[in-house]
Amino acid sequence: MQAIICAGERQLSVQETPTPELTAGMIRVKIAFGGICGSDLHYYQHGGFGTVRIKEPMALGHEVSGVIESIAPDVTGHTVGQRIAISPSRPCGHCRFCQMGIHNQCLNMRFYGSAMPFPHIQGAFCEYILVYPHQVHPIADHLSLSEAALAEPLSVGLHAIQRSGSVMGANVLVTGCGPIGSLLIGALRRAGAQTIVAADVADLPLTCAKAMGADHTINLMKTPDALAAYKADKGQFDVVFEASGSAPAFMNALDVVRARGVVVVVGVGAEVNLPLSQIVAKEVDVRGTFRFHSEFATAVRFLNDRLVDGRPVITSTQPLSAAVAAFDMAADKSKSLKVQIAFDA
Amino acid sequence: MQAIICAGERQLSVQETPTPELTAGMIRVKIAFGGICGSDLHYYQHGGFGTVRIKEPMALGHEVSGVIESIAPDVTGHTVGQRIAISPSRPCGHCRFCQMGIHNQCLNMRFYGSAMPFPHIQGAFCEYILVYPHQVHPIADHLSLSEAALAEPLSVGLHAIQRSGSVMGANVLVTGCGPIGSLLIGALRRAGAQTIVAADVADLPLTCAKAMGADHTINLMKTPDALAAYKADKGQFDVVFEASGSAPAFMNALDVVRARGVVVVVGVGAEVNLPLSQIVAKEVDVRGTFRFHSEFATAVRFLNDRLVDGRPVITSTQPLSAAVAAFDMAADKSKSLKVQIAFDA
Amino acid sequence: MQAIICAGERQLSVQETPTPELTAGMIRVKIAFGGICGSDLHYYQHGGFGTVRIKEPMALGHEVSGVIESIAPDVTGHTVGQRIAISPSRPCGHCRFCQMGIHNQCLNMRFYGSAMPFPHIQGAFCEYILVYPHQVHPIADHLSLSEAALAEPLSVGLHAIQRSGSVMGANVLVTGCGPIGSLLIGALRRAGAQTIVAADVADLPLTCAKAMGADHTINLMKTPDALAAYKADKGQFDVVFEASGSAPAFMNALDVVRARGVVVVVGVGAEVNLPLSQIVAKEVDVRGTFRFHSEFATAVRFLNDRLVDGRPVITSTQPLSAAVAAFDMAADKSKSLKVQIAFDA
Amino acid sequence: MQAIICAGERQLSVQETPTPELTAGMIRVKIAFGGICGSDLHYYQHGGFGTVRIKEPMALGHEVSGVIESIAPDVTGHTVGQRIAISPSRPCGHCRFCQMGIHNQCLNMRFYGSAMPFPHIQGAFCEYILVYPHQVHPIADHLSLSEAALAEPLSVGLHAIQRSGSVMGANVLVTGCGPIGSLLIGALRRAGAQTIVAADVADLPLTCAKAMGADHTINLMKTPDALAAYKADKGQFDVVFEASGSAPAFMNALDVVRARGVVVVVGVGAEVNLPLSQIVAKEVDVRGTFRFHSEFATAVRFLNDRLVDGRPVITSTQPLSAAVAAFDMAADKSKSLKVQIAFDA
């Protein structure tokens, strides 16, 4: 079968690899669509991020949908031909954090396409993949397999909301409206946020944010002072989600969140120069959020009934043969939001 | 009467000022003891902190105890001669945050000895002061007025614990064991922490931390790597209280706190260079804590029955006439913890 | 002006009463629509409920919308002709609970049409009413004044959700799908519930529940055992909202909620025979919910953009002259959900 | 070896049973002390409780301490002769609730001496027992093995406090001051409760409650109206722990807890006639609490340093040969609190 393999910085190719053989307890899935994520891009563009580096060839990808191709005899409850979204979250279930119910922090996590451990965890950008039954989430007849591949980034948004406590009735700001930020906005609207303000430095993501349910959008490149009014009286937002990974956006968040408000940090790129008095005086609560686990089922359920409609986020679909071009396209954030690979095109 | 007035950097003196006249609804208190706090020292040493600067002569001080000297005729429930701790927290009760029950974030707070607003809020380092009945907290017969003046910094510790959620059964690290950190340790022990590790760069505060209830103490000057073992497996502490205001201590806190753990930022001095991935990957929760409000009553109650015994924290008591020397003494943190002024000595 | 006055059990009439004169700080509103609530019906049918009895003639009603008719000169920010929903919640702002931010538990609450205090708090079923500016919530141009009068019962649902903690991603059961239960279902869908099962003993409310967003409906009269399967493995629902006020429904809730799940008690009528072991063994959390306060603004915001569409709940609108007949109609729950009075018809 | 076997109502005897053979992964412990718990008494006096009935002979007991007698070769980290408290909590680690981190609600729990499942889970009132390493909690040199056997009921109290959220700074009422209630009071004092009022119908438990840290005690037999003053202004206690299992005590709890307060139900005996309006109007939060899991380690840690001193709770120690008499003694709650069996006496 074919797979999208990254061997290091700018070393990306579609390669022939062995098709995995079906083993006991497993389900083999023919992959349909795969969305290119920011971490996939980091591996491609920089060979990794921070201390995480690609040290051996690794298939990328973790946002995938597909069709069940074959099922081990000891697995029940599934049928060949079922159209599914696939959760890439494979915690061990036994470690300290799994036993606390914090599976996304599993000490032995095998998340698709991750160079954190060595040997690396091979990704899901390939034609066939073996999955555990718990990874399988059937989709509704009317939902496209392309949309189903949004379940993963939508889960990231849902988990970020869980980390915030609750947004029901809250006034919320989202900074950074790429695919994650935009799907988060769709989730926030569904989770009962009262007012959603979306900010970015480009128009395309803001158009998407609006389509996903934002009440107001702010282009910080065109109107850099548009957030200033929200600093009044110790801040006006109950919750801020920082999804741009930019240092100024994070500092802005601390200014516009209200006293005792919550800043959820979704984006990872930034290194900030932070006077701790900014956190102390208003008693801000800065919370990291990372991946998801149980939220995947919720994401599929929301997509299935279009309680969240992710279609505005997908800006392009490319065949597997054009995978490298697709990655280059995804890297231009002013022109692309989510770029997907069609594996059976 | 005499008061300790700061007119700017290094401009500190004991001055004659008018004794306040008793007015309706108020109680006049003869001040007994006043503890010198870090913020008092900042005004004295630097004329302020950050953007907060002394712009007019201001009496310092907010950690005070005293004896009721006279009571307005319309005030009931108190008696002349009552020995009391005085809460310096005077929120408006009407603003957005007061109506949310977050009185310590009051938009119109009149906290003693604060140059945040202008005109400044005059402090309580003087011989007589007018207080509202809600500021008055009677102390037990066997409690000294000196100990009663610890109710304020103990309240800071109690509020920090409230900000952490709960420490019952938790493994806790406290970095920075000055008067605030040490009283916090006493409060943590009383609040049911399971294990308390205390770290500092000097021996005197660690001796105090031990006396206040720490299980283990670490001198980071002598054994800089002593915290390294706590980084294992995504961190070992459920909660870290950073009370030193130092940047390396804050970065250490992020390393040793467990995934989904809480870092409460008590100390304000530091400016840190923070890669946000440090917060994101382990989903750390960084929470500011600032002053207190309802915790003052709890602090007095704990001191009254010695459920927290603050005596190890007081290292020196100086007469009002030696106030400036007392400030200099308090500034040498290797030799002093809490230095108090005796106003009626 | 005319008002709907209740003088005791079955003593309901439309009477002429003095039009209130505009006073400083107030706004006079011409009432448009008023929804008949269960508590209004209790006053009419039984002269009260529990120990709360009508002891003097009292105007009923608290679910009202209207148009601003005149404004005191000292009030700014509003205009004559504005179409508004009116919050009936008038807490004192000063008592212990208001200062805790729990305004709906105000010790001095003046909620419209309540015989709890004496003299009673007169209701809003009248042609003109004086309101404080904080009670005024402008509605969107496209929203009918009839729908605007649903803001109050929708607020009850939103507050019930707040009391539950969070329903995002939760499997939820609602028992009792009258106007409160049905609007609650609309709110649950908007608040991100994953699956919503609705149960009642009649078809009309279940049809409405479905229209408001329920995934599955159960007629417990026709299929009394339909909930039994949800008892398996210590219960299947994360949260149950009991809005029927019936004892069997409450006992059912304890059976089908999962261990550590939450049962929110919305309905008040029932007296249950409760073995406490039912709460202890599974560690159920049974929480009362009562009225609302800040949720009113959220309700108006959701109605304004039809993030919750309450129209399926309104089954009849009657002119003021037919008020008594309207009450009789509202009392027949198999045929009516929300019955509204049109005051300017 | 000898064991205390219950074969049904009033069928209790010390019997010879086979000594368990050491198997891989296990530790064999010579039991030192065993405390008689209310559930042991229910099996003895009534053959069970509610639908839980003894259907085959079962060793009773789950509050035990002992000394490690032998260790399987594959077990590391323990030594023969170690003095330990033994946790009776043996969850499966795999079921839905274990994976949520709610181990005490495990669907496959094997808690010592429980007739809930069939075959029953044999208890720990015997001379030798096999335990998993995770059940083993070493005790401090200065702690007696008798005190160590209090770790289990103290854990029940600690878990009840966890269920309440937090008691730091709270005004708390405990109704029912038997061994569970009294150890709970010790835990509440250690967890930072501000004021603890203890109520019972007999003097002996109240004397113990006082010794464990209660501020005020109320004998409801002698002064039945003593709680009435706490009903004022929608209740005066932030949290009430009902540990008597009596219906009037539960109804009292609803009256004296404040609006939005928490009633934790610890005692299981009562069946109450509950008007739900009692829960709704004040928005009370009624929470069940059941056993414990991770709290056992905290209990041992608190006992080890006498952060909680449980000695006032133990009123008698009887040799194994007098086991039946010991059960009769424990059943007379006016004369006994915790009665322990000395297995090696």
Side-chain angles (χ1 to χ4, degrees):
Chain A
M1 68 171 187
Q2 306 268 300
I4 304 175
I5 307 287
C6 184
E9 188 178 331
R10 293 279 160 193
Q11 300 175 42
L12 188 73
S13 58
V14 178
Q15 296 183 12
E16 191 68 27
T17 61
T19 303
E21 288 191 33
L22 185 60
T23 51
M26 305 300 284
I27 294 170
R28 191 160 65 181
V29 182
K30 186 167 197 319
I31 297 295
F33 288 88
I36 300 171
C37 168
S39 66
D40 297 319
L41 283 173
H42 267 88
Y43 287 124
Y44 168 50
Q45 296 182 302
H46 311 295
F49 37 88
T51 59
V52 177
R53 316 304 307 177
I54 288 197
K55 295 174 196 139
E56 60 175 342
M58 179 178 82
L60 298 180
H62 50 269
E63 305 179 0
V64 289
S65 63
V67 178
I68 292 182
E69 185 257 0
S70 55
I71 303 172
D74 59 338
V75 173
T76 58
H78 293 284
T79 52
V80 169
Q82 222 168 8
R83 301 161 70 247
I84 63 170
I86 302 170
S87 172
S89 179
R90 297 183 296 175
C92 73
H94 298 98
C95 73
R96 175 166 61 123
F97 294 109
C98 284
Q99 288 289 313
M100 291 169 78
I102 312 181
H103 295 84
N104 69 321
Q105 291 290 343
C106 172
L107 293 173
N108 312 300
M109 172 64 78
R110 293 178 301 134
F111 200 93
Y112 286 140
S114 169
M116 282 190 192
F118 186 87
H120 301 336
I121 311 299
Q122 295 296 317
F125 280 176
C126 51
E127 290 181 285
Y128 293 93
I129 198 165
L130 290 197
V131 303
Y132 294 97
H134 73 76
Q135 297 178 260
V136 168
H137 294 260
I139 64 172
D141 290 346
H142 61 264
L143 195 79
S144 70
L145 281 159
S146 168
E147 284 170 88
L150 294 175
E152 204 273 353
L154 177 56
S155 301
V156 172
L158 290 171
H159 183 66
I161 295 174
Q162 291 286 21
R163 286 288 297 147
S164 77
S166 170
V167 296
M168 228 266 287
N171 292 319
V172 177
L173 171 68
V174 177
T175 52
C177 302
I180 292 290
S182 285
L183 286 165
L184 169 60
I185 287 167
L188 286 165
R189 189 86 284 165
R190 175 50 56 197
Q194 186 155 332
T195 311
I196 303 171
V197 178
D200 202 298
V201 292
D203 281 336
L204 178 69
L206 289 171
T207 304
C208 181
K210 193 88 183 177
M212 293 302 293
D215 295 297
H216 311 294
T217 58
I218 296 172
N219 185 323
L220 289 169
M221 199 62 84
K222 297 179 180 169
T223 55
D225 295 336
L227 284 172
Y230 294 101
K231 299 181 187 177
D233 290 343
K234 298 196 179 186
Q236 298 297 314
F237 291 106
D238 299 299
V239 190
V240 178
F241 294 88
E242 203 311 279
S244 76
S246 101
F250 178 77
M251 294 309 290
N252 248 332
L254 297 180
D255 281 338
V256 299
V257 75
R258 69 163 169 84
R260 294 266 181 104
V262 176
V263 174
V264 180
V265 186
V266 188
V268 297
E271 179 157 340
V272 297
N273 212 27
L274 173 65
L276 290 179
S277 58
Q278 286 286 86
I279 286 176
V280 169
K282 290 202 304 185
E283 299 185 298
V284 178
D285 202 327
V286 178
R287 300 181 188 169
T289 185
F290 184 67
R291 295 179 182 159
F292 55 85
H293 183 66
S294 63
E295 292 87 354
F296 196 87
T298 307
V300 174
R301 190 269 173 277
F302 284 175
L303 291 171
N304 271 348
D305 271 7
R306 294 227 167 87
L307 294 170
V308 174
D309 184 343
R311 288 174 291 188
V313 175
I314 304 170
T315 52
S316 180
T317 304
Q318 297 294 322
L320 175 55
S321 56
V324 177
F327 270 69
D328 288 327
M329 181 184 291
D332 182 350
K333 291 174 185 177
S334 69
K335 294 190 183 143
S336 288
L337 287 158
K338 182 58 70 188
V339 175
Q340 290 187 335
I341 313 280
F343 282 83
D344 54 2
Chain B
M1 66 172 189
Q2 307 268 299
I4 303 175
I5 307 286
C6 183
E9 188 178 331
R10 294 277 159 194
Q11 300 175 43
L12 187 74
S13 57
V14 179
Q15 296 183 12
E16 190 70 25
T17 61
T19 302
E21 290 193 30
L22 186 60
T23 53
M26 305 300 283
I27 293 170
R28 191 161 64 180
V29 181
K30 185 166 197 322
I31 296 295
F33 288 88
I36 299 172
C37 168
S39 67
D40 297 319
L41 282 173
H42 266 88
Y43 287 125
Y44 167 50
Q45 296 182 303
H46 311 294
F49 38 87
T51 59
V52 176
R53 314 305 306 177
I54 287 199
K55 295 175 194 136
E56 60 175 342
M58 180 178 82
L60 297 180
H62 49 270
E63 305 180 0
V64 289
S65 63
V67 178
I68 293 182
E69 184 257 1
S70 55
I71 304 172
D74 58 339
V75 173
T76 57
H78 293 282
T79 52
V80 169
Q82 222 167 8
R83 300 161 69 248
I84 63 170
I86 301 170
S87 172
S89 179
R90 296 183 297 173
C92 73
H94 298 97
C95 74
R96 175 166 60 122
F97 294 109
C98 284
Q99 288 289 312
M100 291 170 77
I102 312 181
H103 295 84
N104 68 321
Q105 291 289 344
C106 172
L107 293 172
N108 312 299
M109 173 62 79
R110 292 179 301 133
F111 201 92
Y112 287 139
S114 169
M116 281 190 192
F118 187 87
H120 300 338
I121 311 298
Q122 295 296 317
F125 280 176
C126 51
E127 290 181 284
Y128 292 93
I129 197 164
L130 290 197
V131 302
Y132 294 98
H134 74 75
Q135 297 178 261
V136 168
H137 294 260
I139 62 171
D141 290 346
H142 61 266
L143 194 80
S144 71
L145 281 159
S146 168
E147 283 171 87
L150 295 175
E152 204 272 352
L154 177 56
S155 300
V156 172
L158 291 170
H159 183 65
I161 295 174
Q162 292 285 21
R163 287 289 295 149
S164 77
S166 170
V167 295
M168 226 269 285
N171 292 318
V172 176
L173 171 68
V174 177
T175 51
C177 303
I180 291 290
S182 285
L183 286 165
L184 168 59
I185 286 168
L188 286 165
R189 190 87 283 167
R190 175 53 54 198
Q194 185 154 333
T195 310
I196 304 171
V197 178
D200 203 298
V201 292
D203 281 335
L204 177 70
L206 290 171
T207 304
C208 181
K210 193 87 182 177
M212 294 302 293
D215 294 297
H216 311 293
T217 57
I218 295 173
N219 186 323
L220 290 169
M221 199 61 84
K222 298 178 181 171
T223 55
D225 295 336
L227 284 173
Y230 294 102
K231 299 180 187 179
D233 289 344
K234 298 196 178 188
Q236 298 297 314
F237 290 106
D238 299 300
V239 190
V240 179
F241 293 87
E242 204 309 279
S244 76
S246 100
F250 178 77
M251 294 309 290
N252 248 333
L254 297 180
D255 282 338
V256 298
V257 76
R258 70 163 168 85
R260 293 269 181 102
V262 176
V263 174
V264 179
V265 187
V266 188
V268 296
E271 179 157 340
V272 297
N273 210 29
L274 173 66
L276 289 179
S277 58
Q278 286 286 87
I279 286 176
V280 169
K282 290 202 305 186
E283 300 186 298
V284 178
D285 202 326
V286 179
R287 301 182 186 167
T289 185
F290 184 67
R291 293 175 182 163
F292 56 85
H293 184 65
S294 63
E295 292 87 354
F296 196 87
T298 307
V300 174
R301 191 267 174 278
F302 284 176
L303 291 172
N304 271 347
D305 271 8
R306 293 228 169 86
L307 294 169
V308 175
D309 183 343
R311 287 173 292 186
V313 176
I314 304 170
T315 51
S316 179
T317 304
Q318 298 293 323
L320 175 55
S321 56
V324 177
F327 270 69
D328 288 326
M329 181 184 292
D332 182 349
K333 290 173 187 180
S334 69
K335 294 191 185 144
S336 288
L337 287 158
K338 181 61 69 188
V339 175
Q340 290 187 334
I341 313 279
F343 283 82
D344 54 2
Chain C
M1 69 171 187
Q2 305 267 298
I4 303 175
I5 306 287
C6 185
E9 186 177 333
R10 293 278 161 194
Q11 299 176 43
L12 188 73
S13 58
V14 178
Q15 294 183 14
E16 190 69 27
T17 61
T19 302
E21 289 192 33
L22 185 60
T23 52
M26 305 301 284
I27 293 170
R28 191 160 65 180
V29 181
K30 185 166 195 323
I31 296 295
F33 288 88
I36 299 172
C37 167
S39 66
D40 297 321
L41 282 173
H42 266 89
Y43 287 124
Y44 168 49
Q45 295 182 302
H46 310 295
F49 37 87
T51 58
V52 177
R53 316 303 308 178
I54 289 199
K55 294 176 196 138
E56 61 175 341
M58 179 179 84
L60 297 179
H62 50 269
E63 304 179 0
V64 290
S65 63
V67 179
I68 292 180
E69 184 257 2
S70 55
I71 303 171
D74 57 339
V75 174
T76 58
H78 293 282
T79 53
V80 169
Q82 222 169 8
R83 300 160 70 247
I84 63 170
I86 301 169
S87 173
S89 179
R90 298 183 295 175
C92 73
H94 298 97
C95 74
R96 174 165 61 121
F97 293 109
C98 285
Q99 288 289 312
M100 291 170 78
I102 313 180
H103 295 83
N104 69 322
Q105 291 289 344
C106 171
L107 294 172
N108 312 299
M109 172 63 78
R110 291 179 302 132
F111 201 91
Y112 286 140
S114 170
M116 280 191 194
F118 186 87
H120 300 337
I121 310 300
Q122 295 296 316
F125 280 177
C126 52
E127 290 180 286
Y128 293 93
I129 197 164
L130 290 197
V131 303
Y132 294 97
H134 74 76
Q135 297 178 260
V136 167
H137 295 259
I139 63 173
D141 289 347
H142 61 265
L143 194 80
S144 70
L145 281 159
S146 168
E147 285 171 87
L150 295 175
E152 203 274 352
L154 177 57
S155 301
V156 172
L158 291 170
H159 183 65
I161 295 172
Q162 292 285 23
R163 287 289 295 148
S164 77
S166 169
V167 296
M168 227 267 286
N171 291 318
V172 177
L173 170 68
V174 177
T175 52
C177 303
I180 292 290
S182 286
L183 287 165
L184 169 60
I185 287 167
L188 286 165
R189 189 89 283 164
R190 175 51 55 198
Q194 184 154 334
T195 311
I196 304 171
V197 178
D200 202 300
V201 292
D203 281 336
L204 178 68
L206 290 171
T207 305
C208 181
K210 193 89 183 175
M212 295 301 294
D215 294 296
H216 311 293
T217 58
I218 295 172
N219 185 322
L220 290 170
M221 198 61 83
K222 296 178 180 170
T223 56
D225 295 336
L227 284 173
Y230 294 102
K231 299 179 186 177
D233 289 344
K234 298 196 178 186
Q236 298 298 314
F237 291 106
D238 299 300
V239 190
V240 179
F241 293 88
E242 203 311 280
S244 75
S246 102
F250 178 77
M251 294 308 292
N252 249 333
L254 297 181
D255 282 338
V256 299
V257 77
R258 71 164 167 84
R260 294 268 181 103
V262 176
V263 174
V264 179
V265 187
V266 188
V268 297
E271 178 158 340
V272 298
N273 210 30
L274 173 66
L276 290 179
S277 58
Q278 287 286 90
I279 287 176
V280 169
K282 291 201 305 186
E283 300 186 299
V284 178
D285 203 326
V286 178
R287 301 183 187 168
T289 184
F290 184 66
R291 293 177 181 160
F292 56 85
H293 183 65
S294 62
E295 292 87 354
F296 196 88
T298 307
V300 173
R301 191 269 173 276
F302 284 176
L303 291 171
N304 272 347
D305 270 7
R306 292 227 169 86
L307 294 171
V308 174
D309 184 343
R311 288 173 292 186
V313 175
I314 304 171
T315 53
S316 180
T317 305
Q318 298 293 324
L320 175 55
S321 56
V324 177
F327 270 68
D328 288 327
M329 180 185 291
D332 182 350
K333 291 173 185 178
S334 69
K335 294 191 183 143
S336 289
L337 286 158
K338 181 60 70 189
V339 176
Q340 289 187 335
I341 313 279
F343 281 84
D344 54 2
Chain D
M1 69 171 186
Q2 306 266 296
I4 303 175
I5 307 288
C6 184
E9 186 178 332
R10 293 279 161 194
Q11 300 175 42
L12 187 73
S13 57
V14 178
Q15 297 183 11
E16 190 68 28
T17 61
T19 302
E21 290 190 33
L22 186 60
T23 52
M26 304 300 285
I27 293 170
R28 192 161 65 181
V29 181
K30 185 165 197 322
I31 297 294
F33 288 88
I36 300 172
C37 166
S39 66
D40 297 319
L41 283 173
H42 266 88
Y43 287 124
Y44 167 49
Q45 295 181 302
H46 310 295
F49 37 86
T51 59
V52 177
R53 316 304 306 178
I54 288 199
K55 294 176 195 135
E56 60 175 343
M58 179 178 84
L60 297 180
H62 50 268
E63 305 180 359
V64 290
S65 63
V67 178
I68 292 182
E69 184 259 0
S70 55
I71 304 172
D74 58 339
V75 173
T76 56
H78 293 282
T79 52
V80 170
Q82 222 168 9
R83 300 160 69 247
I84 63 170
I86 302 170
S87 172
S89 180
R90 297 183 298 174
C92 74
H94 299 97
C95 74
R96 175 165 60 120
F97 294 110
C98 285
Q99 288 289 313
M100 291 169 78
I102 313 181
H103 295 84
N104 68 322
Q105 291 290 343
C106 171
L107 293 172
N108 312 299
M109 172 62 78
R110 292 178 302 133
F111 200 92
Y112 286 140
S114 169
M116 281 190 192
F118 186 88
H120 300 337
I121 311 299
Q122 294 296 316
F125 280 177
C126 50
E127 290 180 284
Y128 293 93
I129 198 165
L130 291 197
V131 303
Y132 294 97
H134 73 75
Q135 297 178 260
V136 168
H137 294 260
I139 62 172
D141 291 346
H142 61 265
L143 195 78
S144 70
L145 282 160
S146 167
E147 284 170 87
L150 294 176
E152 204 273 353
L154 176 57
S155 301
V156 172
L158 291 170
H159 183 65
I161 295 173
Q162 291 286 21
R163 287 289 294 149
S164 78
S166 170
V167 296
M168 228 267 286
N171 292 318
V172 177
L173 171 68
V174 176
T175 52
C177 302
I180 292 290
S182 285
L183 286 165
L184 169 60
I185 286 167
L188 286 165
R189 188 89 283 165
R190 175 52 54 198
Q194 184 153 335
T195 311
I196 303 172
V197 178
D200 203 300
V201 292
D203 281 336
L204 177 69
L206 290 171
T207 304
C208 181
K210 193 87 182 176
M212 294 301 295
D215 294 296
H216 310 293
T217 58
I218 296 173
N219 185 322
L220 290 169
M221 198 62 83
K222 296 179 181 169
T223 55
D225 296 336
L227 284 172
Y230 294 102
K231 300 180 186 177
D233 290 343
K234 297 195 177 187
Q236 298 298 314
F237 290 106
D238 298 300
V239 189
V240 178
F241 294 87
E242 203 310 279
S244 76
S246 102
F250 178 76
M251 294 308 292
N252 248 334
L254 297 180
D255 282 338
V256 299
V257 76
R258 70 164 168 83
R260 294 268 181 103
V262 175
V263 174
V264 178
V265 187
V266 188
V268 297
E271 179 156 339
V272 297
N273 211 30
L274 173 66
L276 290 179
S277 58
Q278 286 287 88
I279 286 176
V280 170
K282 290 202 304 187
E283 300 186 299
V284 178
D285 203 326
V286 178
R287 299 182 187 169
T289 185
F290 184 68
R291 294 175 181 162
F292 56 85
H293 183 64
S294 62
E295 292 86 354
F296 196 88
T298 307
V300 173
R301 191 268 173 277
F302 284 176
L303 291 171
N304 271 348
D305 272 7
R306 293 228 169 85
L307 294 170
V308 174
D309 184 343
R311 289 174 290 187
V313 175
I314 305 171
T315 52
S316 180
T317 304
Q318 297 294 323
L320 174 55
S321 56
V324 178
F327 270 69
D328 288 327
M329 182 185 289
D332 182 350
K333 291 174 185 176
S334 69
K335 293 190 184 144
S336 289
L337 286 158
K338 180 61 70 189
V339 176
Q340 290 187 333
I341 313 280
F343 283 81
D344 53 3

